[in-house]
């Protein structure tokens, strides 16, 4: 059964859930928080900004402030802004996470299917940020929406990938405990010397680090 396909930012108003917001003091903002566009001058209200960097500044003179660097979720543009420390900031509350399966990729878009309703959605790979290279067909992901638009996409903490290129084992120096390897998705990682071309290994999708060899039972060797 093929469900309706919603492109980010284009969910029909009649089908979108009510807008849900919260409010925090700027000094309590944390990395990863979602800020409503209406909280930042010059940003359209429907935009949602994800905090990627925060710096709390207490000048010798003047009022303390929070320097934030945010990325617009819909357009992936970087937006810097300075909040007064005590300034109330409107934040975005997301719907409960829903399970989806990655069906296939088309250009810079991932096609996902809801694991229960079989509804299909299209999500720009940019929405996954720097974790996009770890997406694979058949992978189970969690999606949280706001107004019918997927804004937060969570990958499994670890996943298996084939090594397509690495040099033979051996140390280049006494402190050389790893070697470079290229995975089937094109990402280059560091792996132990015993890993060979053709091996399937587990990778931490959060930071791209080696976890262990993938066994035939699906576990870690």
């Amino acid at each position: 059964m093929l469900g309706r396909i919603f492109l980010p930012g284009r969910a029909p108003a009649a089908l979108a859930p009510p807008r849900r917001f919260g409010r925090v003091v700027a000094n309590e903002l944390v990395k990863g928080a979602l800020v409503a566009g209406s909280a930042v001058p010059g940003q359209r209200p429907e935009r949602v900004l994800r905090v990627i960097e925060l710096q709390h500044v207490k000048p010798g003179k003047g009022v303390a402030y929070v320097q934030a660097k945010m990325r617009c979720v819909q357009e992936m543009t970087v937006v810097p802004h300075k909040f007064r420390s005590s300034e109330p900031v409107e934040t975005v509350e997301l719907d409960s996470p829903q399970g989806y399966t990655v069906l296939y990729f088309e250009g810079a878009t991932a096609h996902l299917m809801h694991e229960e309703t079989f509804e299909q959605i299209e999500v720009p790979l940019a929405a996954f940020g720097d974790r996009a290279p770890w997406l694979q067909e058949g992978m189970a992901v969690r999606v949280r929406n706001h107004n019918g638009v997927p804004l937060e996409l969570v990958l499994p903490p670890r996943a298996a990938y084939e090594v397509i290129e690495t040099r033979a084992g051996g140390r280049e120096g006494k402190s050389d405990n790893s070697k470079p390897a290229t995975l089937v998705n094109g990402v280059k990682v560091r792996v132990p010397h015993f890993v060979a071309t053709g091996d399937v290994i587990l990778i931490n999708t959060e930071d791209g680090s080696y976890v262990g060899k993938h066994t035939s039972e699906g576990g870690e060797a």
Side-chain angles (χ1 to χ4, degrees):
M1 176 180 176
L2 181 63
R4 291 185 176 90
I5 296 177
F6 300 123
L7 292 176
R10 300 180 185 177
L15 299 176
R19 293 162 62 88
R20 300 172 57 204
F21 298 106
R23 192 176 290 271
V24 299
V25 176
N27 202 41
E28 298 176 355
L29 278 174
V30 296
K31 183 178 179 179
L34 295 174
V35 176
S38 54
V40 181
Q43 295 298 310
R44 295 195 298 271
E46 68 272 14
R47 284 183 173 177
V48 177
L49 311 172
R50 183 182 299 279
V51 176
I52 53 178
E53 287 185 21
L54 281 173
Q55 182 180 7
H56 298 266
V57 182
K58 294 182 178 180
K61 295 182 179 180
V63 180
Y65 63 89
V66 176
Q67 182 64 54
K69 180 187 289 186
M70 298 168 284
R71 180 178 287 115
C72 175
V73 175
Q74 292 94 333
E75 301 175 3
M76 300 307 294
T77 53
V78 175
V79 179
H81 185 68
K82 182 167 67 177
F83 296 99
R84 298 187 307 276
S85 291
S86 59
E87 179 180 353
V89 179
E90 194 175 49
T91 57
V92 177
E93 297 179 4
L94 302 180
D95 298 333
S96 300
Q98 298 289 315
Y100 283 81
T101 300
V102 179
L103 294 179
Y104 62 95
F105 303 99
E106 186 176 27
T109 301
H111 293 253
L112 313 181
M113 182 175 69
H114 194 283
E115 62 184 20
E116 294 181 359
T117 66
F118 306 113
E119 174 189 33
Q120 293 184 26
I121 60 174
E122 299 175 4
V123 182
L125 292 178
F128 290 87
D130 56 8
R131 302 182 76 186
W134 303 117
L135 283 174
Q136 301 184 91
E137 292 183 3
M139 176 179 279
V141 297
R142 307 289 287 176
V143 178
R144 299 184 70 189
N145 293 340
H146 174 70
N147 283 358
V149 179
L151 292 186
E152 187 171 83
L153 303 106
V154 183
L155 277 64
R158 59 179 63 178
Y161 305 86
E162 181 184 356
V163 176
I164 61 171
E165 183 181 356
T166 189
R167 59 178 169 77
R171 297 176 182 271
E172 295 177 345
K174 292 183 178 179
S175 61
D176 178 34
N177 297 318
S178 63
K179 62 181 180 179
T182 303
L183 304 181
V184 67
N185 58 356
V187 178
K188 298 182 184 299
V189 298
R190 303 290 298 186
V191 298
H193 290 279
F194 57 77
V195 173
T197 299
D199 285 348
V200 178
I201 62 175
L202 292 173
I203 292 292
N204 182 324
T205 60
E206 182 67 38
D207 58 16
S209 62
Y210 171 86
V211 175
K213 276 195 174 183
H214 183 68
T215 66
S216 58
E217 292 76 22
E220 178 182 346

